[in-house]
Amino acid sequence: MDDDDLRRGKPSCHKAFDEATAILAGDALQTLAFEVLSDPDWVGRSPASRLKMVFALSKASGSLGLAGGQVLDLNLTSQNPTLETLAAMHERKTGALIEASVLMGGLCATDESEILGRLRNYARPLGLAFQVIDDVLDGTADTETLGKPAGADQERGQPTFLSVLGEAPARQYAQYLIDQAISALDGFELDATLLIALAHFTLARSR
Amino acid sequence: MDDDDLRRGKPSCHKAFDEATAILAGDALQTLAFEVLSDPDWVGRSPASRLKMVFALSKASGSLGLAGGQVLDLNLTSQNPTLETLAAMHERKTGALIEASVLMGGLCATDESEILGRLRNYARPLGLAFQVIDDVLDGTADTETLGKPAGADQERGQPTFLSVLGEAPARQYAQYLIDQAISALDGFELDATLLIALAHFTLARSR
């Protein structure tokens, strides 16, 4: 198997089946998310709140989110982009989806824009920090610990936060982003314990 | 250019750009549909009605609709499937999306289940008839008229309503489906003129 073939220690979908099946599985799962959010049997939140979740997820998945970020990734020809270019790409990919996940969690509880705004400001740097640490682990941990092939980015010649910054500065950058995330919760009117723990875990994880 | 390279006389996306870009454009456009339906600036219909549109579109696009139909298509190894197998596959592909399009149009006007039920019963055979005629035209019209390569199905060895039934029975089958579609509108309480014209056009079109 080549570099992209493992996820959590198991063959990835395109390897276990084939590429066409994997793409269609992705299409079906993406649309399933919208089906779950709009399912008439789910009555826990108002239609208006659920429509906000649909909007958050669609923005995060589309041309200004995941799909557009992947296009930027494909067109990233420079082996040595600036930190800004790399961050702008990852803010659309991992970043936008983590932001949408946190925001949709918030929308399950409330429609208060003060709370939702803080959650966004927490999630945005958190998502980027997640990717920075992901890059560091890919270049410094072993395959068994990761559950996916270590060193895959470097083998593909893909620029990462590790290759652009080096390990110590990359970890410092992640720390800076996590500090930003946590400070967005200063004076948060709800219990932020778990959100803060999640932010610390994002830095400390080893896989 | 090979067989799949033209749509409405122009190069298809995967040929004008490349396959990865075409797949990502499809991902972005699919999610854009959900973004449009959930856009907070669109206030023409209630959140409850718009959530029903999201549900209709997600069902039609997912594992029981377009994506699942495409998997059936990929796995259709027999050159000579039964009419039922072929119809079941196309009901999920073209059929489900045409049904969702008609239903969403209905939902823009009303939430009355009597009307929406009739629209579904109109749209389901209409969608299948569209595909039957599509297959007939692919095998009998020329490329210039079609705006996409004629004979592409046959060249790929793909079973179609034309190859399974032959031209005259395929056209009769389409006529039967269109009769079904129009009879679903018997006693329709709204003006059905355009819907009936659309059904007739589906049979009569030459491209």
Side-chain angles (χ1 to χ4, degrees), chain A residues 110-162:
Chain A
T110 183
D111 290 299
E112 271 183 53
S113 59
E114 153 76 14
I115 294 177
L116 297 172
R118 277 176 186 275
L119 286 175
R120 266 185 197 279
N121 292 338
Y122 159 80
R124 208 170 291 134
L126 177 78
L128 199 53
F130 176 89
Q131 187 60 50
V132 174
I133 295 298
D134 218 57
D135 286 359
V136 169
L137 290 175
D138 181 87
T140 59
D142 59 71
T143 298
E144 204 185 336
T145 308
L146 285 182
K148 63 180 182 180
D153 296 333
Q154 201 188 350
E155 209 158 301
R156 278 196 300 269
Q158 202 161 22
T160 68
F161 289 108
L162 183 65

Short mmCIF file of all heavy atoms in Angstrom, two decimals, chain A residues 110-162:
data_model
loop_
_atom_site.label_atom_id
_atom_site.label_comp_id
_atom_site.label_asym_id
_atom_site.label_seq_id
_atom_site.Cartn_x
_atom_site.Cartn_y
_atom_site.Cartn_z
N THR A 110 -28.75 27.18 21.61
CA THR A 110 -29.17 28.57 21.73
C THR A 110 -29.16 29.28 20.38
O THR A 110 -28.49 28.84 19.45
CB THR A 110 -28.22 29.34 22.70
OG1 THR A 110 -28.69 30.68 22.85
CG2 THR A 110 -26.80 29.39 22.15
N ASP A 111 -29.89 30.40 20.29
CA ASP A 111 -29.81 31.28 19.13
C ASP A 111 -29.19 32.63 19.49
O ASP A 111 -29.19 33.54 18.67
CB ASP A 111 -31.21 31.49 18.52
CG ASP A 111 -31.73 30.25 17.86
OD1 ASP A 111 -31.09 29.78 16.90
OD2 ASP A 111 -32.77 29.72 18.30
N GLU A 112 -28.67 32.76 20.71
CA GLU A 112 -28.13 34.05 21.16
C GLU A 112 -26.86 34.40 20.41
O GLU A 112 -25.85 33.67 20.50
CB GLU A 112 -27.84 34.01 22.66
CG GLU A 112 -29.04 34.42 23.51
CD GLU A 112 -28.68 34.43 24.98
OE1 GLU A 112 -27.68 35.09 25.34
OE2 GLU A 112 -29.40 33.77 25.75
N SER A 113 -26.86 35.53 19.71
CA SER A 113 -25.74 35.84 18.82
C SER A 113 -24.45 36.14 19.62
O SER A 113 -23.35 35.89 19.12
CB SER A 113 -26.09 36.99 17.89
OG SER A 113 -26.42 38.12 18.65
N GLU A 114 -24.59 36.64 20.83
CA GLU A 114 -23.41 36.88 21.69
C GLU A 114 -22.66 35.56 21.94
O GLU A 114 -21.44 35.46 21.76
CB GLU A 114 -23.88 37.52 23.01
CG GLU A 114 -23.00 37.28 24.24
CD GLU A 114 -21.73 38.12 24.24
OE1 GLU A 114 -21.66 39.07 23.44
OE2 GLU A 114 -20.81 37.80 25.02
N ILE A 115 -23.40 34.52 22.32
CA ILE A 115 -22.79 33.21 22.58
C ILE A 115 -22.23 32.60 21.30
O ILE A 115 -21.09 32.11 21.26
CB ILE A 115 -23.83 32.26 23.23
CG1 ILE A 115 -24.21 32.78 24.62
CG2 ILE A 115 -23.29 30.83 23.30
CD1 ILE A 115 -25.28 31.97 25.31
N LEU A 116 -23.03 32.66 20.23
CA LEU A 116 -22.60 32.05 18.97
C LEU A 116 -21.36 32.75 18.41
O LEU A 116 -20.46 32.11 17.86
CB LEU A 116 -23.75 32.06 17.95
CG LEU A 116 -24.98 31.23 18.37
CD1 LEU A 116 -26.13 31.45 17.40
CD2 LEU A 116 -24.63 29.74 18.48
N GLY A 117 -21.29 34.08 18.57
CA GLY A 117 -20.13 34.83 18.12
C GLY A 117 -18.87 34.42 18.86
O GLY A 117 -17.80 34.24 18.26
N ARG A 118 -18.99 34.24 20.19
CA ARG A 118 -17.83 33.78 20.96
C ARG A 118 -17.39 32.38 20.54
O ARG A 118 -16.20 32.08 20.47
CB ARG A 118 -18.16 33.76 22.45
CG ARG A 118 -18.00 35.11 23.12
CD ARG A 118 -18.45 35.00 24.57
NE ARG A 118 -18.45 36.29 25.22
CZ ARG A 118 -17.36 36.84 25.78
NH1 ARG A 118 -16.21 36.20 25.75
NH2 ARG A 118 -17.45 38.01 26.36
N LEU A 119 -18.36 31.52 20.26
CA LEU A 119 -18.03 30.16 19.83
C LEU A 119 -17.26 30.17 18.50
O LEU A 119 -16.30 29.42 18.31
CB LEU A 119 -19.30 29.30 19.72
CG LEU A 119 -19.90 28.87 21.06
CD1 LEU A 119 -21.22 28.13 20.83
CD2 LEU A 119 -18.92 27.99 21.85
N ARG A 120 -17.69 31.03 17.59
CA ARG A 120 -16.95 31.19 16.32
C ARG A 120 -15.51 31.63 16.57
O ARG A 120 -14.57 31.12 15.98
CB ARG A 120 -17.61 32.28 15.47
CG ARG A 120 -18.62 31.79 14.48
CD ARG A 120 -19.07 33.01 13.66
NE ARG A 120 -20.29 32.76 12.96
CZ ARG A 120 -20.36 32.10 11.81
NH1 ARG A 120 -19.26 31.64 11.25
NH2 ARG A 120 -21.52 31.90 11.21
N ASN A 121 -15.35 32.64 17.45
CA ASN A 121 -14.02 33.18 17.71
C ASN A 121 -13.14 32.19 18.47
O ASN A 121 -11.91 32.27 18.43
CB ASN A 121 -14.13 34.50 18.51
CG ASN A 121 -14.73 35.60 17.65
OD1 ASN A 121 -14.70 35.53 16.42
ND2 ASN A 121 -15.31 36.60 18.30
N TYR A 122 -13.78 31.27 19.17
CA TYR A 122 -13.06 30.16 19.80
C TYR A 122 -12.65 29.13 18.76
O TYR A 122 -11.51 28.63 18.73
CB TYR A 122 -13.97 29.53 20.86
CG TYR A 122 -13.62 28.11 21.26
CD1 TYR A 122 -12.59 27.84 22.16
CD2 TYR A 122 -14.35 27.03 20.74
CE1 TYR A 122 -12.29 26.53 22.53
CE2 TYR A 122 -14.06 25.72 21.11
CZ TYR A 122 -13.03 25.48 22.00
OH TYR A 122 -12.73 24.19 22.36
N ALA A 123 -13.58 28.78 17.87
CA ALA A 123 -13.38 27.65 16.97
C ALA A 123 -12.39 27.95 15.84
O ALA A 123 -11.66 27.06 15.39
CB ALA A 123 -14.72 27.21 16.37
N ARG A 124 -12.37 29.21 15.39
CA ARG A 124 -11.54 29.52 14.21
C ARG A 124 -10.06 29.25 14.49
O ARG A 124 -9.44 28.46 13.76
CB ARG A 124 -11.82 30.96 13.77
CG ARG A 124 -11.59 31.18 12.28
CD ARG A 124 -12.09 32.54 11.83
NE ARG A 124 -13.53 32.67 11.85
CZ ARG A 124 -14.21 33.69 12.34
NH1 ARG A 124 -13.57 34.70 12.89
NH2 ARG A 124 -15.53 33.72 12.29
N PRO A 125 -9.46 29.85 15.54
CA PRO A 125 -8.05 29.51 15.80
C PRO A 125 -7.86 28.06 16.25
O PRO A 125 -6.82 27.46 15.98
CB PRO A 125 -7.64 30.50 16.91
CG PRO A 125 -8.90 31.03 17.47
CD PRO A 125 -9.94 30.94 16.40
N LEU A 126 -8.87 27.48 16.91
CA LEU A 126 -8.77 26.08 17.32
C LEU A 126 -8.59 25.18 16.09
O LEU A 126 -7.74 24.26 16.09
CB LEU A 126 -10.03 25.66 18.07
CG LEU A 126 -10.09 24.19 18.50
CD1 LEU A 126 -9.24 23.96 19.74
CD2 LEU A 126 -11.54 23.74 18.76
N GLY A 127 -9.37 25.43 15.06
CA GLY A 127 -9.29 24.61 13.85
C GLY A 127 -7.92 24.69 13.19
O GLY A 127 -7.37 23.68 12.74
N LEU A 128 -7.39 25.91 13.16
CA LEU A 128 -6.07 26.09 12.55
C LEU A 128 -4.99 25.41 13.41
O LEU A 128 -4.09 24.74 12.88
CB LEU A 128 -5.79 27.58 12.38
CG LEU A 128 -4.70 27.98 11.39
CD1 LEU A 128 -4.94 27.35 10.02
CD2 LEU A 128 -4.64 29.50 11.26
N ALA A 129 -5.11 25.55 14.73
CA ALA A 129 -4.14 24.91 15.64
C ALA A 129 -4.18 23.39 15.46
O ALA A 129 -3.13 22.73 15.48
CB ALA A 129 -4.46 25.28 17.09
N PHE A 130 -5.37 22.84 15.28
CA PHE A 130 -5.50 21.40 15.04
C PHE A 130 -4.65 20.99 13.84
O PHE A 130 -3.93 19.99 13.87
CB PHE A 130 -6.96 21.03 14.82
CG PHE A 130 -7.16 19.58 14.48
CD1 PHE A 130 -7.36 18.63 15.47
CD2 PHE A 130 -7.13 19.14 13.15
CE1 PHE A 130 -7.52 17.29 15.16
CE2 PHE A 130 -7.29 17.80 12.83
CZ PHE A 130 -7.48 16.86 13.84
N GLN A 131 -4.73 21.78 12.76
CA GLN A 131 -3.99 21.44 11.54
C GLN A 131 -2.48 21.60 11.74
O GLN A 131 -1.70 20.79 11.24
CB GLN A 131 -4.48 22.32 10.38
CG GLN A 131 -3.90 21.92 9.04
CD GLN A 131 -4.25 20.50 8.66
OE1 GLN A 131 -5.42 20.11 8.70
NE2 GLN A 131 -3.25 19.68 8.29
N VAL A 132 -2.07 22.65 12.47
CA VAL A 132 -0.63 22.85 12.73
C VAL A 132 -0.07 21.63 13.46
O VAL A 132 0.97 21.07 13.06
CB VAL A 132 -0.40 24.14 13.57
CG1 VAL A 132 1.06 24.26 13.96
CG2 VAL A 132 -0.85 25.38 12.79
N ILE A 133 -0.77 21.18 14.49
CA ILE A 133 -0.30 20.02 15.26
C ILE A 133 -0.35 18.76 14.40
O ILE A 133 0.52 17.89 14.48
CB ILE A 133 -1.13 19.85 16.55
CG1 ILE A 133 -0.90 21.06 17.48
CG2 ILE A 133 -0.80 18.55 17.26
CD1 ILE A 133 0.54 21.21 17.97
N ASP A 134 -1.36 18.66 13.54
CA ASP A 134 -1.45 17.52 12.63
C ASP A 134 -0.20 17.44 11.76
O ASP A 134 0.37 16.36 11.57
CB ASP A 134 -2.70 17.69 11.73
CG ASP A 134 -3.40 16.38 11.46
OD1 ASP A 134 -3.79 15.70 12.44
OD2 ASP A 134 -3.54 16.01 10.29
N ASP A 135 0.21 18.58 11.24
CA ASP A 135 1.41 18.62 10.40
C ASP A 135 2.65 18.24 11.20
O ASP A 135 3.52 17.51 10.70
CB ASP A 135 1.61 20.03 9.81
CG ASP A 135 0.62 20.34 8.69
OD1 ASP A 135 -0.20 19.46 8.35
OD2 ASP A 135 0.68 21.47 8.16
N VAL A 136 2.75 18.75 12.43
CA VAL A 136 3.91 18.44 13.27
C VAL A 136 3.96 16.94 13.55
O VAL A 136 5.01 16.30 13.41
CB VAL A 136 3.87 19.24 14.60
CG1 VAL A 136 4.92 18.71 15.58
CG2 VAL A 136 4.08 20.73 14.34
N LEU A 137 2.80 16.35 13.91
CA LEU A 137 2.77 14.91 14.22
C LEU A 137 3.11 14.09 12.98
O LEU A 137 3.82 13.09 13.08
CB LEU A 137 1.39 14.51 14.77
CG LEU A 137 1.07 15.05 16.16
CD1 LEU A 137 -0.36 14.69 16.54
CD2 LEU A 137 2.05 14.52 17.20
N ASP A 138 2.60 14.50 11.82
CA ASP A 138 2.89 13.75 10.59
C ASP A 138 4.39 13.65 10.35
O ASP A 138 4.88 12.62 9.88
CB ASP A 138 2.22 14.41 9.37
CG ASP A 138 2.49 13.64 8.08
OD1 ASP A 138 1.73 12.70 7.80
OD2 ASP A 138 3.48 13.95 7.39
N GLY A 139 5.12 14.70 10.71
CA GLY A 139 6.55 14.72 10.45
C GLY A 139 7.41 14.21 11.59
O GLY A 139 8.62 14.01 11.40
N THR A 140 6.82 14.00 12.78
CA THR A 140 7.67 13.67 13.93
C THR A 140 7.23 12.39 14.66
O THR A 140 8.03 11.83 15.42
CB THR A 140 7.70 14.82 14.96
OG1 THR A 140 6.35 15.08 15.41
CG2 THR A 140 8.26 16.10 14.34
N ALA A 141 6.00 11.91 14.48
CA ALA A 141 5.55 10.70 15.18
C ALA A 141 5.69 9.49 14.25
O ALA A 141 5.97 9.63 13.06
CB ALA A 141 4.09 10.86 15.61
N ASP A 142 5.50 8.28 14.80
CA ASP A 142 5.61 7.10 13.93
C ASP A 142 4.22 6.61 13.51
O ASP A 142 3.21 6.95 14.10
CB ASP A 142 6.40 5.98 14.62
CG ASP A 142 5.76 5.57 15.93
OD1 ASP A 142 4.68 4.93 15.89
OD2 ASP A 142 6.32 5.91 16.99
N THR A 143 4.20 5.79 12.46
CA THR A 143 2.96 5.35 11.84
C THR A 143 2.05 4.62 12.82
O THR A 143 0.83 4.84 12.83
CB THR A 143 3.28 4.44 10.64
OG1 THR A 143 4.01 5.19 9.68
CG2 THR A 143 2.01 3.91 9.98
N GLU A 144 2.64 3.79 13.67
CA GLU A 144 1.82 3.01 14.60
C GLU A 144 1.06 3.92 15.56
O GLU A 144 -0.13 3.74 15.81
CB GLU A 144 2.70 2.03 15.38
CG GLU A 144 1.92 0.83 15.89
CD GLU A 144 2.79 -0.08 16.75
OE1 GLU A 144 4.02 -0.05 16.59
OE2 GLU A 144 2.23 -0.77 17.61
N THR A 145 1.76 4.94 16.08
CA THR A 145 1.11 5.90 16.98
C THR A 145 0.02 6.67 16.24
O THR A 145 -1.09 6.85 16.75
CB THR A 145 2.15 6.91 17.53
OG1 THR A 145 3.25 6.18 18.07
CG2 THR A 145 1.54 7.80 18.59
N LEU A 146 0.31 7.11 15.02
CA LEU A 146 -0.63 7.97 14.28
C LEU A 146 -1.86 7.21 13.79
O LEU A 146 -2.95 7.77 13.71
CB LEU A 146 0.06 8.58 13.06
CG LEU A 146 1.04 9.73 13.29
CD1 LEU A 146 1.58 10.22 11.97
CD2 LEU A 146 0.34 10.86 14.04
N GLY A 147 -1.68 5.92 13.42
CA GLY A 147 -2.79 5.19 12.80
C GLY A 147 -2.95 5.56 11.33
O GLY A 147 -3.87 5.11 10.65
N LYS A 148 -2.08 6.43 10.84
CA LYS A 148 -1.99 6.72 9.41
C LYS A 148 -0.52 6.91 9.10
O LYS A 148 0.28 7.09 10.02
CB LYS A 148 -2.84 7.94 9.03
CG LYS A 148 -2.41 9.25 9.68
CD LYS A 148 -3.31 10.39 9.26
CE LYS A 148 -2.84 11.71 9.88
NZ LYS A 148 -3.68 12.85 9.50
N PRO A 149 -0.13 6.83 7.83
CA PRO A 149 1.30 6.79 7.52
C PRO A 149 2.01 8.08 7.92
O PRO A 149 1.63 9.16 7.47
CB PRO A 149 1.33 6.60 6.00
CG PRO A 149 -0.03 6.14 5.62
CD PRO A 149 -0.96 6.74 6.62
N ALA A 150 3.03 7.96 8.78
CA ALA A 150 3.83 9.12 9.17
C ALA A 150 4.70 9.54 7.99
O ALA A 150 5.05 8.72 7.14
CB ALA A 150 4.70 8.77 10.37
N GLY A 151 5.01 10.83 7.93
CA GLY A 151 5.90 11.32 6.88
C GLY A 151 5.27 11.41 5.51
O GLY A 151 5.96 11.66 4.52
N ALA A 152 3.96 11.22 5.43
CA ALA A 152 3.29 11.20 4.12
C ALA A 152 3.38 12.56 3.44
O ALA A 152 3.59 12.64 2.23
CB ALA A 152 1.83 10.78 4.28
N ASP A 153 3.23 13.65 4.22
CA ASP A 153 3.29 15.00 3.63
C ASP A 153 4.63 15.23 2.95
O ASP A 153 4.69 15.69 1.81
CB ASP A 153 3.11 16.07 4.72
CG ASP A 153 1.73 16.00 5.38
OD1 ASP A 153 0.78 15.54 4.71
OD2 ASP A 153 1.63 16.40 6.54
N GLN A 154 5.69 14.90 3.69
CA GLN A 154 7.04 15.14 3.17
C GLN A 154 7.29 14.31 1.92
O GLN A 154 7.87 14.79 0.94
CB GLN A 154 8.07 14.81 4.25
CG GLN A 154 9.42 15.50 3.98
CD GLN A 154 10.50 15.01 4.94
OE1 GLN A 154 10.22 14.31 5.90
NE2 GLN A 154 11.74 15.38 4.66
N GLU A 155 6.82 13.05 1.95
CA GLU A 155 7.04 12.17 0.80
C GLU A 155 6.35 12.71 -0.45
O GLU A 155 6.84 12.57 -1.55
CB GLU A 155 6.53 10.76 1.14
CG GLU A 155 7.27 9.67 0.40
CD GLU A 155 7.13 8.33 1.13
OE1 GLU A 155 7.53 8.23 2.32
OE2 GLU A 155 6.58 7.42 0.51
N ARG A 156 5.17 13.35 -0.23
CA ARG A 156 4.46 13.95 -1.36
C ARG A 156 5.04 15.31 -1.75
O ARG A 156 4.58 15.93 -2.69
CB ARG A 156 2.99 14.15 -1.00
CG ARG A 156 2.10 12.93 -1.16
CD ARG A 156 0.64 13.33 -1.16
NE ARG A 156 0.27 14.00 0.08
CZ ARG A 156 -0.20 13.37 1.14
NH1 ARG A 156 -0.36 12.08 1.13
NH2 ARG A 156 -0.52 14.04 2.23
N GLY A 157 6.02 15.80 -0.97
CA GLY A 157 6.58 17.12 -1.24
C GLY A 157 5.60 18.23 -0.92
O GLY A 157 5.66 19.32 -1.48
N GLN A 158 4.67 17.95 0.00
CA GLN A 158 3.61 18.90 0.32
C GLN A 158 4.09 19.89 1.38
O GLN A 158 4.59 19.48 2.42
CB GLN A 158 2.42 18.11 0.87
CG GLN A 158 1.12 18.82 0.77
CD GLN A 158 -0.03 17.83 0.89
OE1 GLN A 158 0.12 16.73 1.43
NE2 GLN A 158 -1.18 18.21 0.40
N PRO A 159 3.94 21.19 1.11
CA PRO A 159 4.33 22.15 2.14
C PRO A 159 3.39 22.05 3.35
O PRO A 159 2.18 21.87 3.18
CB PRO A 159 4.17 23.51 1.45
CG PRO A 159 3.24 23.28 0.31
CD PRO A 159 3.41 21.84 -0.09
N THR A 160 3.96 22.12 4.55
CA THR A 160 3.16 22.02 5.78
C THR A 160 3.64 23.10 6.75
O THR A 160 4.66 23.75 6.52
CB THR A 160 3.37 20.64 6.45
OG1 THR A 160 4.72 20.59 6.95
CG2 THR A 160 3.13 19.50 5.47
N PHE A 161 2.89 23.25 7.84
CA PHE A 161 3.34 24.18 8.87
C PHE A 161 4.70 23.76 9.43
O PHE A 161 5.52 24.59 9.80
CB PHE A 161 2.31 24.28 10.00
CG PHE A 161 1.06 25.01 9.59
CD1 PHE A 161 -0.13 24.33 9.39
CD2 PHE A 161 1.09 26.38 9.37
CE1 PHE A 161 -1.28 25.01 8.99
CE2 PHE A 161 -0.07 27.07 8.97
CZ PHE A 161 -1.24 26.38 8.78
N LEU A 162 4.98 22.45 9.43
CA LEU A 162 6.27 21.95 9.90
C LEU A 162 7.38 22.33 8.93
O LEU A 162 8.43 22.84 9.34
CB LEU A 162 6.20 20.42 10.07
CG LEU A 162 7.45 19.74 10.62
CD1 LEU A 162 7.72 20.18 12.06
CD2 LEU A 162 7.32 18.22 10.55
#
